[in-house]
């Protein structure tokens, strides 16, 4: 099966198996909603800096970890929740371009890769002075209204417009947003890109003058990924098959079956196909309900371990 998928350019060619890396996500900036005298504003919370990430990486190397794949999430000014402009320049509160270049050199010196997460699919805030206009750039529903995806209330498990509501970007704009991101880079360090939504978000756009069905969206994603490959390695999340030929690393890959009662046997078919071709991992161990089970699932499916970290105290996030 793997050879057949290689011939159809769905899978990259198999190579010599390497020791699996340790996947690490670091979150840089998060904005919190605050009020002052009844007036709402956003407060910046710095969760990690580039130099602190470099210290963690150095410590892991000293303790015997040989290869790391590190993804930086929310280190630009817009923070972790999907900036409208997809800039690839660190905010001054987390470090400088030189700090970023030094971190990249440190990770690559041991055969690892540093990825910069660029959210091409989602925008959490339609600001007045950014490049994103919801009326023009967001997808439309069947009724032609602008689609807003709401978050889930962890208590009631119902969708709510008070928790992480976001716009989905029209597939017609993926390439333009990518070029904007690439043109924003400063310095000599060319970063590898991560686009989590490429392998986990597939949707249609029912705008009357620019309709995109899901097949057309797949084409838009693969074209954008091909452009990203020209810049270096590419990371995706979720593992939809149309991303396999472009991805060098895949995170958040399902490591077990759906759990429906009709399931009688579970076989890691996707992992068997990807083994030796693409480095992959499940969701971050420390974000799951049962971390010990997640480690066991990783061992059962031959997956790398994946963790999501910050370098500073999380006390400021508890309120």
């Amino acid at each position: 099966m793997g050879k057949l998928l290689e011939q159809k350019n769905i899978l990259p060619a198999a190579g010599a198996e390497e020791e699996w890396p340790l996947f690490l996500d670091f979150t840089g900036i998060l904005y919190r909603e605050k009020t002052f005298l009844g007036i709402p504003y956003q407060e910046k919370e710095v969760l990690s800096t580039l130099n602190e990430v470099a210290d963690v990486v150095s410590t892991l190397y000293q303790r015997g970890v040989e290869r790391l794949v590190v993804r930086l999430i929310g280190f630009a000014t817009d923070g972790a929740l999907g900036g409208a402009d997809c800039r690839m320049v660190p905010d001054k509160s987390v470090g400088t371009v030189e700090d970023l270049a030094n971190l990249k050199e440190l990770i690559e010196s041991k055969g690892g890769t540093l990825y910069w997460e660029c959210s091409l699919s989602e925008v959490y805030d339609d600001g007045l002075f950014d490049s994103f206009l919801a009326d023009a750039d967001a997808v439309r529903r069947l009724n032609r209204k602008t689609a807003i995806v709401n978050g889930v209330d962890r208590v009631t498990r119902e969708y709510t417009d008070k928790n992480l509501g976001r716009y989905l970007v029209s597939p017609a704009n993926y390439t333009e947003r990518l070029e904007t991101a690439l043109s924003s880079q400063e310095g000599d360090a060319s970063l590898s890109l991560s686009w989590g939504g490429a392998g986990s978000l597939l949707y249609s756009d029912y705008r009357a003058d620019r309709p995109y069905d899901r097949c057309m969206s797949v084409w838009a994603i693969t074209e954008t990924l091909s452009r990203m490959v020209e810049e270096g390695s590419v990371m995706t999340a979720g593992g939809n098959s149309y991303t396999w030929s472009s991805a060098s690393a895949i995170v958040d890959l399902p490591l077990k079956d759906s759990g429906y009662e009709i399931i009688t046997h579970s076989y890691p078919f996707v992992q068997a196909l990807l083994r030796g071709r693409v480095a992959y991992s499940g969701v971050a161990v420390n974000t799951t309900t049962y971390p010990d089970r997640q480690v066991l699932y990783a061992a059962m499916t031959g997956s790398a371990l994946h963790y999501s970290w910050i370098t500073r105290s999380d006390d400021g996030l508890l309120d």
Side-chain angles (χ1 to χ4, degrees), residues 92-112:
K92 62 181 181 181
S93 63
V94 299
T96 65
V97 175
E98 289 73 20
D99 295 333
L100 183 60
N102 292 337
L103 176 61
K104 180 176 183 286
E105 182 179 359
L106 174 63
I107 293 172
E108 292 182 347
S109 68
K110 298 289 187 177

Side-chain angles (χ1 to χ4, degrees), residues 37-206:
L37 299 177
I39 301 174
Y41 70 97
Q42 288 189 327
E43 181 180 74
K44 180 191 295 185
E45 183 81 21
V46 176
L47 304 177
S48 309
T49 68
L50 294 170
N51 285 333
E52 291 167 353
V53 172
D55 290 340
V56 172
V57 170
S58 297
T59 300
L60 290 172
Y61 286 152
Q62 292 171 8
R63 296 187 178 184
V65 177
E66 296 184 357
R67 184 175 166 221
L68 294 173
V69 173
V70 177
R71 178 170 59 162
L72 301 178
I73 301 173
F75 278 75
T77 301
D78 289 323
L81 298 182
D85 294 323
C86 288
R87 289 179 58 80
M88 296 179 64
V89 179
D91 185 79
K92 62 181 181 181
S93 63
V94 299
T96 65
V97 175
E98 289 73 20
D99 295 333
L100 183 60
N102 292 337
L103 176 61
K104 180 176 183 286
E105 182 179 359
L106 174 63
I107 293 172
E108 292 182 347
S109 68
K110 298 289 187 177
T113 309
L114 177 66
Y115 290 95
W116 183 278
E117 175 65 27
C118 189
S119 179
L120 303 181
S121 312
E122 300 170 290
V123 171
Y124 283 80
D125 186 25
D126 182 14
L128 293 176
F129 305 107
D130 57 41
S131 61
F132 178 81
L133 296 174
D135 287 342
D137 301 327
V139 302
R140 298 292 182 94
R141 299 185 186 276
L142 277 170
N143 59 9
R144 310 301 190 198
K145 293 184 177 180
T146 300
I148 299 178
V149 179
N150 293 319
V152 176
D153 189 306
R154 290 180 179 271
V155 177
T156 64
R157 297 188 178 182
E158 295 179 350
Y159 285 99
T160 172
D161 59 1
K162 297 180 180 180
N163 184 25
L164 299 182
R166 59 199 183 277
Y167 299 98
L168 297 178
V169 178
S170 172
N173 293 356
Y174 289 162
T175 302
E176 180 182 352
R177 285 173 61 79
L178 173 62
E179 295 299 337
T180 299
L182 293 174
S183 64
S184 70
Q185 291 190 86
E186 298 178 0
D188 298 328
S190 180
L191 296 174
S192 295
L193 285 167
S194 169
W195 177 18
S200 58
L201 289 174
L202 180 61
Y203 47 80
S204 303
D205 182 4
Y206 294 103

